[in-house]
Amino acid sequence: HLATPDDGAGYDHSNPLRIETAAEAKALDARIRAAWANHPRSAVVQSKATFLEKLEEAVALIRRELPPCCATHPLATER
């Protein structure tokens, strides 16, 4: 789960695809977290200084779930 950043701490108001306010996004975020809270492989990636940092953490979490043969395969950007 990619956590919604706080308003003023990374929530992008200029993104035309966002249809909710920062407060509405945080409320939806809480509902999603609650729905997945008991899943054994649930993970939350908190907000970072940049989206790329957040993405890197998400990719690292996904790689930890892969079998060894796939977890070490280079990404297209790493080739």
Side-chain angles (χ1 to χ4, degrees):
H1 176 75
L2 300 178
T4 302
D6 292 327
D7 194 16
Y11 189 83
D12 185 5
H13 292 277
S14 67
N15 184 341
L17 298 177
R18 288 195 188 269
I19 59 171
E20 68 278 329
T21 66
E24 292 169 334
K26 285 299 257 189
L28 289 169
D29 186 84
R31 290 177 60 199
I32 292 168
R33 283 191 204 200
W36 286 92
N38 294 323
H39 191 281
R41 289 203 162 106
S42 177
V44 177
V45 177
Q46 296 297 334
S47 295
K48 305 289 181 211
T50 69
F51 183 75
L52 288 179
E53 289 176 56
K54 193 174 187 179
L55 181 59
E56 286 174 357
E57 184 176 334
V59 169
L61 286 168
I62 292 167
R63 282 185 171 217
R64 286 201 302 242
E65 296 297 322
L66 297 174
C69 62
C70 299
T72 58
H73 192 279
L75 299 174
T77 59
E78 298 172 341
R79 293 182 192 168

